Amino acid sequence: MSPSVVRLTVAQALVRFLSAQYTERDGVRCRSIGAMWGIFGHGNVAGVGQALVEHGGEMPFVQGRNEQAMVHAAVGHARHSGRLSAHAVTTSIGPGATNLVTGAALATINRLPVLLLPGDTFASRPADPVLQQLEVPGAGDVSVNDCLRPVSRYFDRITRPEALVPAALQAMRVLTDPAATGAVTLALPQDVQAEAHDWPREFFTERVWRVPRPGPDRDALQAAARRVRAARRPLIVAGGGVHHSGAHQALHAFAGATGIPVASTQAGKGSLRHDHPADVGGIGHTGTATADALARHADLIIGIGTRYTDFTTASHTLFTEPGVRFVNLNITGFDAHKMAGLPLVADARTGIEALTGALAGHRVHAAYEDEYRAGKERWERVVAAAFAAPDGDAPPTQTQVLGALDAVVGDDDVVINAAGSLPGDLHRFWRARSPRQYHVEYGYSCMGYEIPAAIGVALAEPGRPVWALVGDGTYLMNPTEVVTAVQEGVPIKVVILQNHGYASIGGLSEQVGAERFGTAYRYRAADGTYTGDPLPVDLAANAASLGMDVLRVTTCGELPAALATARASARPTCVYVETAPPATAPEAQAWWDVPVAEVSARPAAVEARAAYERHVTTRRRPL
């Protein structure tokens, strides 16, 4: 064999290649693929599984329990790492592969890198069909892995060893591209995984993928500066791009120099500390009264790293000032052109710094600053009232649980959530103290994200206290990675809020005339109705059976000590709380479009439709 080549199987070559990839930005270098998660079956055990044994010292491995959860963990890791480090996920063929689809969609929607390595059916077709093969009579080259195509930013099927080299390089290009990243899928037929090939040694040499910080076009920058100078009531909407770029200090300096208030999307919350004078909290359907009032009367919106989802825009009913215009600073032209805005296509940090320079000496009127700071103070009193809890035997409300947690955490803690009514309460009320503390996945709002994502975050930065906040519905959706946390000794803290049903959807159901149908965990009577008695489901016992330490809380007085104990624990720990109805949370400050039945014989639906039609008339599309 020539000294310039190495004979390895395809799977061995892939593991060695991935182990030699590095990402670098601003002189900081880290492994591009920090670890590989896996569940093994006949589609990958003899290929990728054997390769991990062969090269075990080069690629850390984490054993998962659910394929979707493994992707969530990888996404949590990538987000906390600022998209500079990703994890890979390997699965068997068939159901193991299709279980990746939800996680892949979540990663791509949130623009977060994850490498998916599903096993695939035989490329050589020694038998047809094989176990777990989907037969498509009109297309012999289709497998279930093709379900991953629409939710992947890059997809390839490695049907020959030679194809791995260009596919692996393309995969790394997409994973490290801040404008194109998301889920990347390399489907690996099980026979090809085990096939040997002579590989050029340079394929395995260390390779550094530098993440660029492109600056804005000069003319676009000057046009944006003119718009800002002309505005009387500008408002910044900070999105996830601020976090991905690490633009927090630049935004802090920009807001301090100009006095322009900063509202944040779910992905952007924490871009400024909650106590920064210009921070006015969350915006949109789950936003604060202060931010939403400013949005309604703003004459210029400066969007930084935001996708302008319907929750942010209140389904296009929030930015209603006649003549309101938009300047959109974004790494992708696709997002920068939204809302008919003036596009400033650039890295968030580089773009903010450039705009700060172009606006030297400019500041909003003092009366405007006084206005939003007074609104900020008023909202802080609302937060304090929602968080306040008696010391006695009353069960806590959901917001009182958040208040108790707020009193326990430090700047280094990370709070993770994704679904239910918690995202709304967190967006409105949580006092974010550091850029990485607030970790709410609301691009896909996927139930079951929280626990595996908490593991991914803890692996990204060991030593940080990481909290997964879940309702009972979310916990039932995906608790399996608790076992992984116990096995790996990852001391995540899980807070389970038990309200015996899908409370968030129950409330929405009531608002739209569906009368809370199918949203409660109750006994079903012979006549088809549900009784008022909750099912005897003991999620605390379930968490304990999976290996967690469990602290049961039934009163407000017990809550602070339980949370403090969990935070100090070196083991995975669960705080299980029976909550009271959410009486302390004010209603949403902006609308969200959920269509209501246009005709109905039920009064609740008729009333809901009338309210819906009133809101629809306030919709405004920027042109």
Side-chain angles (χ1 to χ4, degrees), residues 84-109:
L84 297 179
S85 179
H87 279 177
V89 177
T90 178
T91 72
S92 185
I93 66 174
T98 52
N99 280 350
L100 297 173
V101 173
T102 296
L106 182 149
T108 296
I109 286 171

Side-chain angles (χ1 to χ4, degrees), residues 237-254:
V237 175
V242 176
H243 291 307
H244 299 329
S245 173
H248 313 100
Q249 289 300 320
L251 180 60
H252 182 281
F254 181 73

Side-chain angles (χ1 to χ4, degrees), residues 336-511:
H337 281 82
K338 289 179 177 177
M339 309 295 284
L342 189 155
L344 204 58
V345 181
D347 167 75
R349 195 185 81 179
T350 303
I352 293 171
E353 290 172 346
L355 192 55
T356 303
L359 290 169
H362 174 73
R363 191 173 185 87
V364 297
H365 292 298
Y368 185 44
E369 290 189 71
D370 292 342
E371 175 190 337
Y372 71 70
R373 290 181 181 182
K376 179 180 172 69
E377 291 178 4
R378 287 194 299 272
W379 186 255
E380 182 55 35
R381 291 194 289 272
V382 174
V383 174
F387 280 2
D391 295 328
D393 296 334
T397 65
Q398 180 166 283
T399 52
Q400 288 168 347
V401 172
L402 296 182
L405 184 62
D406 175 75
V408 167
V409 302
D411 289 7
D412 290 339
D413 292 59
V414 180
V415 176
I416 300 176
N417 183 244
S421 56
L422 270 166
D425 286 348
L426 285 164
H427 197 206
R428 280 191 291 268
F429 301 131
W430 188 257
R431 297 161 171 157
R433 306 175 191 184
S434 62
R436 298 292 177 199
Q437 181 172 87
Y438 187 88
H439 185 130
V440 173
E441 187 286 300
Y442 219 55
Y444 210 41
S445 187
C446 186
M447 296 175 71
Y449 171 82
E450 295 89 343
I451 292 173
I455 299 172
V457 169
L459 292 175
E461 192 172 0
R464 271 202 185 224
V466 183
W467 301 83
L469 308 185
V470 299
D472 47 287
T474 292
Y475 180 84
L476 285 168
M477 191 72 70
N478 197 5
T480 53
E481 291 335 274
V482 165
V483 178
T484 297
V486 173
Q487 179 178 14
E488 300 291 335
V490 182
I492 61 171
K493 299 90 175 61
V494 177
V495 180
I496 302 176
L497 303 178
Q498 173 63 280
N499 52 37
H500 302 284
Y502 301 114
S504 171
I505 296 301
L508 178 62
S509 173
E510 193 169 51
Q511 292 173 21

Side-chain angles (χ1 to χ4, degrees), residues 139-213:
D141 63 343
V142 171
S143 81
V144 296
N145 285 342
D146 288 276
C147 294
L148 288 159
R149 287 183 183 271
V151 292
S152 298
R153 294 304 301 266
Y154 180 80
F155 179 98
D156 203 349
R157 180 175 282 112
I158 313 303
T159 57
R160 290 292 303 147
E162 299 90 334
L164 179 63
V165 172
L169 293 171
Q170 287 295 331
M172 289 305 307
R173 174 189 64 80
V174 175
L175 288 170
T176 58
D177 185 338
T181 196
V184 169
T185 300
L186 297 181
L188 303 172
Q190 58 177 312
D191 53 343
V192 176
Q193 288 183 48
E195 189 173 342
H197 183 69
D198 293 337
W199 306 92
R201 286 188 182 274
E202 54 263 39
F203 184 51
F204 308 115
T205 58
E206 182 178 301
R207 189 182 301 267
V208 179
W209 301 83
R210 289 182 172 82
V211 179
R213 289 193 179 278

Side-chain angles (χ1 to χ4, degrees), residues 276-304:
H276 188 287
D279 180 72
V280 293
I283 192 169
H285 178 62
T286 54
T288 70
T290 305
D292 286 351
L294 291 170
R296 290 185 181 97
H297 300 291
D299 56 358
L300 178 69
I301 302 298
I302 307 168
I304 304 178

